[in-house]
Amino acid sequence: MTEFSDLWESQADPELWIVAAAAALALFLVAYGPAWRVSRNVVTIAHEGGHALVALLTGRKLDGIRLHSDTSGVTVSRGRPDGAGMVLTALAGYAAPPLLGLFFAWLLELGRITLMLWGALVLLAGMLVMIRNVFGVVSVLTTGGIVFAISWFAPTDVQAAFAYFGAAFLLLAGARPVIELQRLRALRQAPSSDADQLAHLTGVPGLVWVCLFGLLALACLLLGGKLLIPAEAFGTSFFGGTSPL
């Protein structure tokens, strides 16, 4: 069982095969359609959480979040209908999953496995109070319950595998919703998408925003992937210095 003191301690990197297996499972969930239709709910949680967090940080009033069984979601905030706050809020949705995955990868590179898992729980708890529909509550509680059970009861190796899986999933899953977004836009089935809202707010074409989302997801994947590979696989730490072999 995890103790509170473990939160601030550094844990050893898992073996390379554990990291590889976690990444392979994450890739499967993203690439395989039936699995993606279920696992995409986690991406929606991160997406809407990004909208909500930035809305609050920019001084907007958050009315609530709804998550739907088709893996869509909506975050409602009040404030100026234009300006930097609204632009940043609209931008934050597609940016949130890959950036969160990169942040988690950074924590894992530092050996902060427990801190990463408990940090995820804090984010989920903060989001839960703003959920305004039953499916959303069930989705967030289920996700949080799994993270809590692993972080509190599971042995160290299982915690490490789960943490690396979670970070890898967010990094890999950052790009697929962007591809799906542009496909829907091409079919004219997403007239109110984040990219089109940003186009209305800024005058910059929606396709430019889609490309920006994609480039950000790719950059986070490349950097986060580098961070997730244990140092012994290279013989040196990502930030320099020699690692003991």
Side-chain angles (χ1 to χ4, degrees), residues 171-184:
L171 290 169
L172 289 165
R176 180 158 180 172
V178 180
I179 297 171
E180 294 172 343
L181 167 65
Q182 184 53 31
R183 184 183 299 124
L184 290 174

Side-chain angles (χ1 to χ4, degrees), residues 100-102 104-105 108 116 162-172 228:
L100 184 59
L102 180 60
F104 284 166
L108 294 176
M116 176 250 169
F162 183 77
Y164 274 78
F165 159 73
F169 176 77
L170 287 172
L171 290 169
L172 289 165
L228 287 177

Side-chain angles (χ1 to χ4, degrees), residues 28-185:
F28 170 77
L29 293 181
V30 173
Y32 183 55
W36 173 246
R37 283 191 286 274
V38 177
S39 61
R40 197 184 192 281
N41 283 289
V42 176
V43 181
T44 303
I45 290 173
H47 180 111
E48 300 304 330
H51 282 314
L53 178 61
V54 174
L56 291 173
L57 291 176
T58 56
R60 300 181 62 82
K61 179 176 175 55
L62 185 61
D63 284 343
I65 303 168
R66 290 179 176 270
L67 306 175
H68 304 132
S69 58
D70 63 354
T71 73
S72 66
V74 61
T75 299
V76 179
S77 63
R78 285 185 289 159
R80 284 186 56 184
D82 54 16
M86 189 61 199
V87 170
L88 291 173
T89 298
L91 183 62
Y94 283 95
L99 286 175
L100 184 59
L102 180 60
F103 176 64
F104 284 166
W106 174 68
L107 289 178
L108 294 176
E109 201 273 342
L110 296 176
R112 307 295 183 179
I113 295 172
T114 303
L115 182 61
M116 176 250 169
L117 293 173
W118 285 26
L121 284 174
V122 170
L123 292 174
L124 288 167
M127 187 171 179
L128 182 61
V129 300
M130 296 306 303
I131 297 292
R132 295 293 183 263
N133 68 322
V134 174
F135 180 83
V137 170
V138 172
S139 183
V140 173
L141 281 177
T142 300
T143 304
I146 293 171
V147 176
F148 174 77
I150 295 293
S151 65
W152 192 256
F153 298 110
T156 302
D157 285 348
V158 175
Q159 289 186 26
F162 183 77
Y164 274 78
F165 159 73
F169 176 77
L170 287 172
L171 290 169
L172 289 165
R176 180 158 180 172
V178 180
I179 297 171
E180 294 172 343
L181 167 65
Q182 184 53 31
R183 184 183 299 124
L184 290 174
R185 293 185 70 251

